[in-house]
Amino acid sequence: MGELLARKILVLLSALTLSTLALAEGTRTWEQSKFDELVKGTAKGVALRGTGGLELAPAFRALSTTPSTYIWSIASDSTGNIYAAAGSPARVYRITPDGQSTTIFEPQELQVQSLVVDKNNTVYAATAPDGKVYRIQQTKVAAETTAKAGAKPAPSWSATTYFDPGSKYIWDLVLDNAGNLYVATGDHGEIYKVTANGQHSLFFKADEVHIRVLAIDPKGNVIAGSDGSGLVYRITPAGEAFVLYSAPKKEITALAIDKAGNIYAAGAGEKRPGTMGPGPAMMILAPAQNPGAAPGAPAAVGANPAAAPGMSPFPAPGLGASGGSEIYRIAPDGAPERLWGSREDLVYALAFDQGGRLVAGTGNRGHIFAINGVDDFTDLVKASASQITAFANAPGGGLYASSSNLGKIFVLGPGPETDGTYESDVFDAHNFSRWGRASLRASGNVQLFARSGNVDNPDRNWSPWTPVNLATGAELGVPPARFVQWKSVLHAGTPAARVDSVLLYYLPKNVAPEVDEITVQQGYRYQQIPKIASTEPATPGQPRFDPPPPAVRDRDSIGIRWQAHDDNDDQLVYALYYRGDGESRWLLLKSNLTDRYTSFDASLLPDGGYTVRVVASDAPSHSPGEALSAERESARFEVDGTSPVIEKLAASIDGTQIQVRFRAVDAYSPIRRAEYSLDGGDWQFVEPVGQLADSKSEDYDFLMPAPRVDAAPGLAGSTPTSSDHVVVVRAYDRYDNLATAKVVVRGK
């Protein structure tokens, strides 16, 4: 397009530019404050609040990595030692507060599923499947087992069978204040009570298949959660049971009770009304490997031979359940309330931190959440393991946390991390952009950094992390580029470090729009589509869907529609030009179009061949002089609004036939077809002389049977009367323009 035409376009669009609010402003912003946005980044020592924002996470460190793949239960004694019930291989580990680990029990069963420690530091451990409850006690101190000279003697341990319930599975153990041990079992949904002197009895039998978890409330009642119908029972010391809650989930995977008597229950698995599930979801136990060994390395020394020959199926708490998890709070008066839910995370453990806040250990992403209130949570940490399976009290007010895949022990808290770092996800501006200032809403000791690059992987030669000076205008100071990333470093102090939101300003380099396609539809008129305002901002670089306009048949109209896009997602305005065959000048047909379609009266264009040009401009979104435009030409099309002419129409009777002759002539396009009708009868197709219709002038010469003339009514034996006939012919050109004519044939 020439310079003169470009000037005309800018003049035509100027009025619309001044009066139209642009959809895409020049300067844009990228803000991150919501949890769903921040969770895409990488946090180290930083917690993500469910209501949005960042804060320092509780201190979190690995204390011990065991040879076992799975740790199902942990308990701590009065001196801060922790005991871990593990599987693959099946063991009970004793781990000191400084991380020294000792194996104190190796059963023949596949798993040590649960354990508790009494006031005398005696350990009760339950094995599965077809397992028993063992009592594990320290027997003596052997000086000869010291690790080195001057070290404290190592204790030795003995294990004896304490109780055999004869059940397929033992799921959980709990001790009350009197030293009574309660044993939750599977296959028959039974809870057994074993007194301090070893006497045992059936305490409660449910109509569920599995009793999965147990807890003791402040009044000494046993709280039990089931698998199948997701029931939470309250069972008095006398064994009288009452269903407190039927959860929407099929399996209760964890219980915790606060000092006020509120019961917290975690549920998992889809629940089918009227049915009980087949039991806890199956998981596959792989043979244990040496920690840190490469895949395929030999099993760890001392691995349980029953687990080593390959894969051994064993029902595991909640693993494999679909539909995510939910946490419910049941008040002391029995009123239930849903606190939290996740479609991705399964809750395996519940506990309280030193401030009385509920924490949840989850899989299969290894996250620990703090539950602050109804749908108010904090994503505290992500462990280097797949599942957080249990909690126990740690010295100083912290919590021990165990994991599976791999079997590790961690310490959570009690205080926050000294420093924490959060790296945002990579932001794609979709165009080469200039990066401006940053706006940070934060408190405490917080630093902000930024970097940019032109590939989506920051490790591939991006600019270095550049500190943002929040005291002097907060200029990012990174090179212009398509991608950007920010990092925040939080330091402990008073007030506590906290980031509420980070907002970056940027200006994409303007690129010209593109007209992708033009479609011309003759004989159609487009109806206007009502515009619906959207409150959602458009995403730069993403295709925008425009529904096709409704079209109605109208032979006197020409419809034109086109597809166009702008990589800046600027608002576009269009002008439409046309040019006839052999002409050099483009003539304006319509301007100031915001829709991507239009239609007009075909009579505006004389018969002939034409091409249309669509010019798209992003002027509504840019200052004068900064706008860019693009254009595209359509395929050639023809306009023919003039009907053909019927010439030299004649007809005569020759015996029993009527002969008809005529010529059909069109000034622009070939004659497409011709028809005739005799005495108002049906239309009949007729071929031209030579049979091929391919010319602007076609001759027709054909015979038709003359209608039979009947005798006069009521006059027997009379001769036929003479009769006239009317022949009507019509012809169509290529564009369905119609010509008609008639002739009267006189009878003889």
Side-chain angles (χ1 to χ4, degrees):
M1 183 175 59
E3 182 180 352
L4 179 60
L5 182 57
R7 291 176 183 172
K8 290 183 177 180
I9 293 172
L10 292 177
V11 172
L12 289 168
L13 300 180
S14 60
L16 186 67
T17 303
L18 294 174
S19 61
T20 305
L21 179 63
L23 293 179
E25 298 177 356
T27 300
R28 300 182 183 179
T29 59
W30 174 46
E31 182 176 11
Q32 288 200 300
S33 61
K34 300 177 182 177
F35 177 82
D36 291 342
E37 300 163 345
L38 296 171
V39 76
K40 299 175 184 177
T42 303
K44 296 179 181 179
V46 170
L48 280 62
R49 299 192 303 271
T51 54
L54 310 171
E55 61 187 30
L56 280 174
F60 188 70
R61 61 183 176 89
L63 179 68
S64 175
T65 299
T66 72
S68 297
T69 305
Y70 309 100
I71 296 179
W72 299 118
S73 178
I74 57 175
S76 55
D77 64 16
S78 58
T79 59
N81 298 303
I82 189 166
Y83 301 84
S88 188
R91 292 179 182 176
V92 173
Y93 299 98
R94 179 180 183 268
I95 302 165
T96 62
D98 61 0
Q100 299 298 315
S101 177
T102 305
T103 300
I104 64 173
F105 179 51
E106 294 186 60
Q108 294 301 310
E109 293 84 9
L110 290 177
Q111 298 275 21
V112 182
Q113 186 65 42
S114 180
L115 57 74
V116 291
V117 179
D118 68 10
K119 298 176 182 178
N120 299 317
N121 295 338
T122 298
V123 180
Y124 298 90
T127 60
D130 301 313
K132 304 175 182 63
V133 178
Y134 295 88
R135 181 166 57 188
I136 307 170
Q137 295 175 300
Q138 184 175 338
T139 56
K140 64 178 180 177
V141 175
E144 63 271 20
T145 61
T146 55
K148 59 182 179 179
K152 292 182 179 180
S156 62
W157 300 78
S158 66
T160 58
T161 301
Y162 185 66
F163 173 58
D164 183 355
S167 300
K168 185 69 175 176
Y169 307 111
I170 301 176
W171 290 118
D172 201 11
L173 303 174
V174 69
L175 284 165
D176 66 11
N177 291 331
N180 297 306
L181 179 69
Y182 295 89
V183 182
T185 68
D187 263 10
H188 301 292
E190 296 167 330
I191 301 175
Y192 291 91
K193 178 180 179 180
V194 186
T195 63
N197 60 11
Q199 299 297 314
H200 59 80
S201 60
L202 179 64
F203 177 67
F204 171 68
K205 179 173 175 55
D207 58 0
E208 295 276 86
V209 178
H210 300 272
I211 299 296
R212 279 282 296 107
V213 287
L214 298 174
I216 304 294
D217 73 8
K219 296 182 179 180
N221 298 308
V222 175
I223 307 301
S226 76
D227 174 57
S229 300
L231 303 181
V232 178
Y233 299 90
R234 181 179 61 208
I235 311 167
T236 67
E240 298 176 353
F242 178 74
V243 174
L244 286 173
Y245 185 51
S246 176
K249 299 291 186 179
K250 69 177 288 290
E251 180 181 356
I252 302 300
T253 58
L255 289 170
I257 304 174
D258 65 17
K259 296 178 181 179
N262 294 292
I263 300 168
Y264 298 86
E270 295 297 339
K271 186 174 182 179
R272 298 180 181 179
T275 63
M276 290 192 299
M282 296 293 290
M283 75 165 290
I284 301 299
L285 296 180
Q289 294 184 343
N290 293 317
V301 176
N304 189 333
M311 300 291 188
S312 299
F314 181 75
L319 294 184
S322 60
S325 279
E326 293 181 334
I327 297 176
Y328 317 99
R329 177 171 57 199
I330 305 171
D333 63 0
E337 181 180 29
R338 177 190 175 279
L339 279 184
W340 175 88
S342 170
R343 291 188 295 269
E344 297 178 336
D345 301 284
L346 296 174
V347 177
Y348 298 119
L350 295 173
F352 299 98
D353 64 14
Q354 64 173 349
R357 183 172 59 169
L358 182 70
V359 294
T362 71
N364 293 316
R365 303 185 300 156
H367 284 255
I368 298 177
F369 294 92
I371 312 302
N372 308 314
V374 177
D375 289 324
D376 181 5
F377 64 93
T378 304
D379 188 347
L380 296 177
V381 296
K382 182 184 185 305
S384 56
S386 298
Q387 296 93 21
I388 299 296
T389 53
F391 293 111
N393 291 328
L399 285 175
Y400 290 120
S402 65
S403 69
S404 291
N405 289 303
L406 298 167
K408 295 184 177 183
I409 301 295
F410 300 90
V411 181
L412 179 70
E417 295 280 7
T418 304
D419 301 286
T421 300
Y422 173 85
E423 291 185 10
S424 73
D425 62 330
V426 173
F427 176 69
D428 184 1
H430 298 283
N431 290 286
F432 186 81
S433 300
R434 185 156 56 92
W435 303 96
R437 300 180 187 277
S439 177
L440 176 70
R441 286 196 301 113
S443 59
N445 190 350
V446 175
Q447 293 176 287
L448 186 66
F449 299 82
R451 62 180 175 178
S452 63
N454 285 302
V455 290
D456 58 3
N457 184 352
D459 295 328
R460 299 183 63 186
N461 301 103
W462 274 37
S463 68
W465 284 112
T466 302
V468 179
N469 192 333
L470 301 175
T472 58
E475 288 279 357
L476 288 186
V478 298
R482 172 174 170 174
F483 300 93
V484 76
Q485 188 181 28
W486 60 268
K487 176 174 70 174
S488 182
V489 179
L490 286 70
H491 305 279
T494 304
R498 175 186 177 116
V499 174
D500 293 317
S501 73
V502 175
L503 184 146
L504 306 184
Y505 292 88
Y506 67 101
L507 178 65
K509 180 177 177 59
N510 191 26
V511 295
E514 293 185 31
V515 181
D516 304 306
E517 181 185 12
I518 302 174
T519 302
V520 178
Q521 288 186 294
Q522 297 187 67
Y524 285 91
R525 175 171 47 84
Y526 295 133
Q527 295 179 320
Q528 190 76 18
I529 301 176
K531 290 182 171 59
I532 301 175
S534 174
T535 58
E536 293 294 327
T539 302
Q542 297 298 316
R544 194 177 78 186
F545 173 73
D546 286 323
V552 296
R553 186 70 176 170
D554 183 353
R555 67 179 309 276
D556 295 326
S557 294
I558 297 176
I560 301 176
R561 57 187 176 92
W562 56 93
Q563 295 294 326
H565 74 275
D566 185 276
D567 286 342
N568 301 110
D569 203 49
D570 291 333
Q571 182 178 346
L572 300 180
V573 65
Y574 307 97
L576 190 64
Y577 295 81
Y578 72 96
R579 184 176 66 183
D581 289 350
E583 298 176 353
S584 59
R585 182 184 176 191
W586 289 97
L587 301 177
L588 179 65
L589 184 63
K590 288 192 176 184
S591 63
N592 294 348
L593 297 173
T594 56
D595 293 322
R596 301 183 187 191
Y597 60 89
T598 189
S599 50
F600 58 93
D601 190 347
S603 65
L604 295 174
L605 302 181
D607 293 354
Y610 293 90
T611 305
V612 296
R613 169 181 283 175
V614 175
V615 178
S617 170
D618 59 10
S621 297
H622 294 278
S623 301
E626 299 295 327
L628 298 175
S629 63
E631 61 187 46
R632 190 182 186 94
E633 295 179 13
S634 73
R636 180 183 179 276
F637 65 96
E638 294 180 341
V639 174
D640 183 359
T642 305
S643 298
V645 176
I646 304 295
E647 298 177 348
K648 300 179 181 180
L649 175 60
S652 61
I653 293 180
D654 183 7
T656 61
Q657 291 184 314
I658 299 176
Q659 185 174 20
V660 179
R661 297 184 181 90
F662 70 94
R663 174 177 293 173
V665 180
D666 191 88
Y668 182 73
S669 61
I671 301 299
R672 186 165 62 89
R673 75 178 190 277
E675 299 170 327
Y676 74 88
S677 172
L678 178 62
D679 295 337
D682 293 336
W683 290 101
Q684 176 65 44
F685 174 78
V686 61
E687 292 179 339
V689 175
Q691 297 185 323
L692 191 62
D694 59 356
S695 173
K696 298 178 184 178
S697 176
E698 296 288 351
D699 291 316
Y700 295 86
D701 188 345
F702 58 93
L703 296 171
M704 72 181 82
R708 180 175 176 271
V709 180
D710 296 329
L715 300 176
S718 64
T719 60
T721 62
S722 63
S723 178
D724 295 339
H725 300 283
V726 177
V727 178
V728 179
V729 297
R730 64 185 183 186
Y732 295 87
D733 65 12
R734 181 181 174 186
Y735 296 98
D736 283 339
N737 296 305
L738 172 65
T740 61
K742 73 175 181 178
V743 64
V744 177
V745 183
R746 301 297 179 180
K748 296 180 180 179

